[in-house]
């Protein structure tokens, strides 16, 4: 509040002396803050609102390969509701999201608890587990595709060397889970790091008090540790949901949507860029957007809330 | 009494062994596949396709994969393209996001609604945006041009950067700015001389993240490039689409192209958690 008064006084002073220059007017807080945000607002309008309107518009048309558009009203939406090619990938995306998040949280929590102590080389370990996180998912998926190849892949060679049967990692029954496993492999270091940081920052005296009171490990974990970690668990879940429903790169590096692994974004991509069916592609895109926006709205409200709580 | 202590000591040693066994297994699990890229890069095709574990592990290192990569494929060109696009888009992102983040952090411009929309745009599926942009880019001749992909990367990173910078700007105490204002600093100078030096680590972190996200990006690069503006991820992805899978060349390309991200992961340790959680967890 005090600062605002200062701004007003400064403006008043300049009024008394001469007519304020355009720069002075714009430096007035009221305009200045909008001026700073203006480039971003323009970018958002161009890059967000325009595609949205475009897709919404095209979703009412049947667009041929030559570009001729025929208005067909809601037919694309009717087709979509009856199209298993839409519902199955949607269900699969949901499945992948749940599997990956649950696994990442469990592994992350386990490793967080394990490493939440002082031991030799702890900083090196904590640094090394971050290594896969920033590597391009596409490249990692190609590498995993190679590692899990049936004949020459390293994993199957090890399995057969120790007397186990080779696994068909990419057959239609299991390929989706293989993709989950690759994703979990890349991302469990994320939840482990976040939860470890959370565990390190928990107040120690509470745990000591619980120990004095004779509380057992599992009880302490369930009644103290878990509730105190829950904001972090929520953040991880929300962020990972956001990334997982957009999963695309690992599909390109492995199955390319074949063997029952087509996910939401791959379906939009295939319809729009392989079949070049812009009308129906736009309809699917709008639906995909609609679903993710709902999840996004929930998640970012929570994220902003957490940001405000920690500051 | 003695027996009890002995047992307890054994228990501690046993626990310690378990601890290290799990830790080492996890580390092998994490680093093994990354290491495998580098091993494969130095193997001859014969060793790669031999199908015997011995030849996979014990082999004579060769540079033939790198040679093939540099001679037969436009590897350095795509690497250069990736670099230009990553840096170019990051500069654009900063020009847009820096003032906006400051505005949101300082004056809560738009009452949080614009910030919310900014971050919601991160949810905007890339494939959805691709359809209209593809058609527009075709009309204004931006397909397969560096600047086209730079613009897309800017769009793709701007919300993330704004949000992360917003968190860093919030860490700057308002009192500092008030003091500077009383000292007669103009608004622009306050930003330049007081706020900017304090958020410099934040700007560096955000920039590195933007560079890495662009460096790793695949979908836009794949859809919007043909021959001229292909990035290194697109080139590497092409190795396994062809009829004979060129694992060696692929590994050589991957080994080089992921090196910057691995180095960044090591040196940015402190900031990775903060960056990946959009600033919500300080790590």
């Amino acid at each position: 509040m005090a600062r605002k008064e200062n701004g007003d006084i400064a403006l008043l002073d300049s009024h008394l002396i001469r007519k304020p220059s355009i720069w002075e007017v714009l430096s007035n807080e009221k305009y200045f803050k909008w001026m700073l945000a203006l480039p971003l607002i323009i970018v958002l309008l161009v890059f967000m609102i325009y595609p949205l309107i475009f897709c919404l518009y095209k979703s009412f048309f049947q667009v041929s390969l030559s570009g001729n558009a025929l208005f067909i009203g809601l037919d694309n939406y009717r087709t979509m509701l009856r199209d298993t090619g839409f519902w199955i990938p949607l269900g699969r995306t949901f499945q992948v999201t749940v599997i990956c998040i649950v696994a990442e949280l469990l592994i992350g929590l386990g490793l967080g608890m394990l490493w939440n102590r002082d031991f030799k080389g702890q900083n090196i370990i904590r640094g090394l587990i971050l290594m896969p996180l920033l590597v391009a998912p596409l490249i990692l998926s190609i590498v995993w595709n190679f590692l899990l190849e049936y004949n020459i892949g390293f994993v199957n060679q090890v399995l057969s060397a120790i007397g186990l049967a080779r696994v068909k990692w990419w057959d239609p029954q299991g390929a989706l889970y293989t993709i989950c496993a690759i994703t979990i492999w890349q991302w469990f270091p994320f939840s482990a790091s976040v939860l470890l940081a959370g565990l390190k920052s928990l107040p120690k005296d509470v745990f000591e008090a619980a120990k004095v009171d004779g509380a057992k490990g599992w009880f302490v974990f369930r009644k103290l540790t878990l509730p105190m970690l829950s904001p972090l668990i929520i953040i991880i879940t929300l962020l990972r949901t956001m990334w997982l429903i957009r999963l695309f790169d690992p599909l390109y590096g492995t199955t390319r949507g074949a063997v029952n692994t087509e996910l939401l974004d791959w379906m939009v991509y295939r319809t729009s860029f392989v079949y070049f069916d812009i009308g129906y592609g736009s309809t699917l895109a709008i639906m995909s957007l609609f679903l993710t926006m709902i999840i996004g709205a929930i998640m970012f409200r929570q994220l902003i809330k957490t940001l405000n709580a920690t500051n | 009494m003695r027996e009890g202590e002995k047992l307890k000591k054994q228990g501690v040693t046993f626990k310690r062994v378990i601890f290290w066994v799990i830790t080492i297994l996890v580390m092998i699990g994490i680093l093994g596949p990354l290491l495998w890229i580098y091993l494969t890069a130095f193997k001859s095709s014969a060793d790669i396709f031999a199908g015997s574990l011995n030849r996979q592990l014990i082999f004579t290192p060769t540079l033939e994969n790198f040679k093939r990569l540099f001679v037969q494929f436009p590897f350095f060109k795509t690497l250069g393209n990736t670099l230009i696009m990553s840096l170019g888009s990051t500069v654009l992102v900063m020009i847009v996001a820096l003032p906006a983040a400051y505005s949101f952090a300082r004056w809560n411009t738009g009452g949080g609604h614009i910030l919310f929309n900014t971050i919601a745009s991160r949810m905007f599926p890339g494939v959805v945006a691709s359809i209209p942009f593809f058609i527009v880019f075709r009309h204004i001749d931006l397909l397969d041009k560096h600047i086209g992909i730079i613009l897309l990367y800017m769009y793709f990173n701007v919300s993330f950067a704004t949000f992360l910078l917003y968190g860093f700007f919030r860490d700057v105490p308002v009192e500092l700015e008030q003091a500077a204002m009383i000292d007669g600093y103009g608004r622009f100078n306050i930003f330049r001389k007081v706020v900017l030096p304090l958020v410099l680590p934040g700007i560096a972190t955000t920039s590195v993240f933007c560079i890495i996200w662009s460096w790793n990006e695949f979908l836009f690069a794949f859809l919007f490039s043909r021959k001229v503006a292909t990035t290194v991820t697109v080139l590497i992805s092409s190795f396994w689409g062809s009829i004979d899978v060129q694992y060696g060349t692929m590994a050589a390309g991957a080994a080089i192209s992921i090196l910057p991200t691995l180095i960044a992961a090591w040196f940015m340790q402190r900031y990775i958690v903060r960056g990946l959680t959009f600033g919500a967890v300080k790590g």
Side-chain angles (χ1 to χ4, degrees):
Chain A
M1 220 54 235
R3 212 187 29 70
K4 196 171 182 224
E5 277 160 23
N6 279 336
D8 288 345
I9 290 165
L11 194 73
L12 202 68
D13 281 346
S14 60
H15 263 298
L16 287 174
I17 302 159
R18 60 193 155 76
K19 199 166 170 277
S21 71
I22 183 84
W23 171 247
E24 279 162 332
V25 172
L26 287 177
S27 332
N28 177 5
E29 202 160 86
K30 214 169 103 195
Y31 302 107
F32 188 64
K33 61 174 189 181
W34 285 106
M35 232 177 64
L36 290 175
L38 193 66
L40 180 75
I41 295 169
I42 293 170
V43 168
L44 286 184
L45 284 177
V46 172
F47 284 87
M48 230 178 108
I49 308 295
Y50 163 71
L52 182 66
I53 293 170
F54 179 96
C55 284
L56 202 59
Y57 177 75
K58 287 287 177 196
S59 71
F60 299 117
F61 288 86
Q62 186 177 41
V63 186
S64 68
L65 276 174
S66 56
N68 295 330
L70 177 73
F71 182 79
I72 51 166
L74 289 171
D75 271 10
N76 278 331
Y77 289 91
R78 283 193 203 104
T79 313
M80 182 189 69
L81 288 178
R82 272 181 276 118
D83 185 4
T84 49
F86 166 72
W87 290 106
I88 293 175
L90 184 67
R92 258 186 225 132
T93 309
F94 181 72
Q95 197 185 353
V96 167
T97 308
V98 172
I99 293 174
C100 289
I101 289 175
V102 170
E104 283 168 26
L105 279 175
L106 287 178
I107 300 173
L109 199 59
L111 292 178
M113 301 286 283
L114 184 75
W115 288 333
N116 181 27
R117 68 194 71 195
D118 289 314
F119 59 91
K120 229 182 214 162
Q122 54 175 339
N123 289 327
I124 296 173
I125 298 252
R126 262 189 281 163
L128 284 177
I129 57 165
L130 297 170
M131 294 317 258
L133 278 175
L134 299 185
V135 177
L138 175 87
I139 290 179
L140 285 180
S141 70
I142 296 177
V143 169
W144 274 108
N145 192 44
F146 170 49
L147 282 166
L148 298 173
E149 212 273 343
Y150 184 76
N151 285 314
I152 58 158
F154 181 69
V155 176
N156 270 356
Q157 290 195 357
V158 170
L159 285 178
S160 71
I162 58 175
L164 294 171
R166 287 167 181 260
V167 177
K168 282 184 183 142
W169 297 101
W170 302 112
D171 76 338
Q173 277 84 46
L176 193 68
Y177 302 105
T178 309
I179 286 170
C180 286
I182 294 172
T183 312
I184 293 165
W185 174 83
Q186 188 177 14
W187 283 95
F188 82 80
F190 169 66
S191 59
S193 302
V194 171
L195 292 172
L196 182 59
L199 283 165
K200 291 246 176 206
S201 69
L202 294 184
K204 292 214 164 48
D205 47 344
V206 181
F207 288 93
E208 270 153 27
K211 216 175 180 181
V212 171
D213 290 346
K216 287 277 181 297
W218 172 243
F219 184 81
V220 173
F221 176 75
R222 216 162 44 92
K223 292 283 175 188
L224 278 178
T225 320
L226 217 49
M228 284 198 277
L229 284 181
S230 63
L232 292 182
I233 293 175
I234 290 171
I235 288 180
I236 295 171
T237 309
L238 294 172
L239 284 167
R240 289 300 291 141
T241 309
M242 174 182 80
W243 282 312
L244 283 164
I245 41 183
R246 296 271 71 87
L247 210 65
F248 182 89
D249 295 9
L251 288 187
Y252 194 88
T254 55
T255 61
R256 303 209 169 159
V259 287
N260 297 334
T261 56
E262 187 167 80
L263 299 177
L264 201 56
D265 271 14
W266 189 273
M267 170 201 66
V268 179
Y269 155 75
R270 184 175 49 85
T271 314
S272 316
F273 290 96
V274 181
Y275 299 160
F276 229 76
D277 188 347
I278 297 294
Y280 191 47
S282 295
T283 314
L284 295 171
I286 287 289
M287 264 336 268
S288 166
L289 180 67
F290 179 66
L291 291 167
T292 47
M293 278 297 175
I294 296 172
I295 300 166
I298 301 167
M299 102 163 241
F300 285 114
R301 258 178 229 295
Q302 186 68 36
L303 202 64
I304 291 174
K305 222 188 270 171
T306 323
L307 253 181
N308 289 336
T310 51
N311 278 345
Chain B
M1 204 59 208
R2 267 239 173 115
E3 275 300 294
E5 263 172 36
K6 209 174 169 187
L7 268 177
K8 208 173 173 187
K9 212 171 175 187
Q10 272 177 349
V12 170
T13 332
F14 180 68
K15 264 188 186 168
R16 188 172 291 166
V17 169
I18 292 283
F19 172 85
W20 281 108
V21 166
I22 296 176
T23 304
I24 288 166
L25 280 179
V26 170
M27 295 324 284
I28 292 173
I30 289 179
L31 300 176
L34 297 175
L35 205 66
W36 199 247
I37 300 175
Y38 287 90
L39 286 178
T40 310
F42 292 101
K43 273 179 217 168
S44 65
S45 303
D47 284 331
I48 293 172
F49 289 99
S52 91
L53 207 50
N54 287 344
R55 283 183 75 180
Q56 295 256 18
L57 290 169
I58 303 149
F59 57 93
T60 333
T62 159
L63 289 175
E64 72 171 57
N65 294 321
F66 290 97
K67 254 182 226 152
R68 197 178 319 119
L69 180 71
F70 299 156
V71 175
Q72 290 180 13
F73 298 95
F75 180 70
F76 288 111
K77 199 189 98 189
T78 58
L79 204 66
N81 282 344
T82 313
L83 192 67
I84 293 168
M85 288 165 193
S86 304
L87 294 178
S89 66
T90 302
V91 170
L92 283 183
V93 164
M94 283 299 152
I95 293 172
V96 174
L98 207 59
Y102 179 58
S103 172
F104 293 141
R106 199 64 188 68
W107 294 283
N108 195 22
T109 311
H113 290 294
I114 302 176
L115 184 67
F116 178 72
N117 277 314
T118 308
I119 202 60
S121 80
R122 180 73 185 189
M123 290 296 294
F124 210 94
V127 266
V128 177
S130 297
I131 305 169
F133 284 128
F134 192 82
I135 289 161
V136 170
F137 277 24
R138 204 168 49 180
H139 275 295
I140 56 176
D141 198 26
L142 273 182
L143 281 185
D144 204 14
K145 296 266 164 65
H146 291 71
I147 185 71
I149 295 177
I150 286 178
L151 283 173
L152 289 169
Y153 283 0
M154 179 202 61
Y155 143 78
F156 162 80
N157 275 330
V158 78
S159 56
F160 165 78
T162 307
F163 211 71
L164 197 57
L165 286 169
Y166 168 75
F168 281 106
F169 276 121
R170 284 177 62 115
D171 290 349
V172 178
V174 184
E175 291 76 17
L176 264 178
E177 288 184 55
Q178 286 168 354
M181 193 166 261
I182 290 166
D183 287 348
Y185 277 80
R187 225 175 274 287
F188 184 70
N189 276 331
I190 294 176
F191 181 71
R192 202 165 58 99
K193 291 186 177 159
V194 180
V195 183
L196 212 55
L198 286 171
V199 290
L200 222 50
I203 293 173
T205 309
T206 313
S207 302
V208 174
F209 267 108
C210 288
I211 292 171
I212 290 175
W213 296 149
S214 311
W215 188 272
N216 290 347
E217 209 282 334
F218 174 67
L219 179 66
F220 287 141
F222 168 62
L223 291 176
F224 289 82
S225 71
R226 288 292 168 273
K227 274 199 169 94
V228 184
T230 38
T231 66
V232 75
T233 40
V234 175
L235 178 74
I236 291 174
S237 78
S238 71
F239 290 147
W240 106 263
S242 44
I243 297 156
D244 60 323
V245 189
Q246 306 175 357
Y247 286 121
T249 327
M250 181 271 289
I256 297 174
S257 78
I258 69 168
L259 202 58
T261 54
L262 292 178
I263 292 169
W266 181 255
F267 286 103
M268 301 227 318
Q269 279 180 36
R270 274 183 60 209
Y271 295 105
I272 286 184
V273 164
R274 181 167 182 163
L276 288 176
T277 54
F278 289 62
V281 179
K282 299 247 162 86

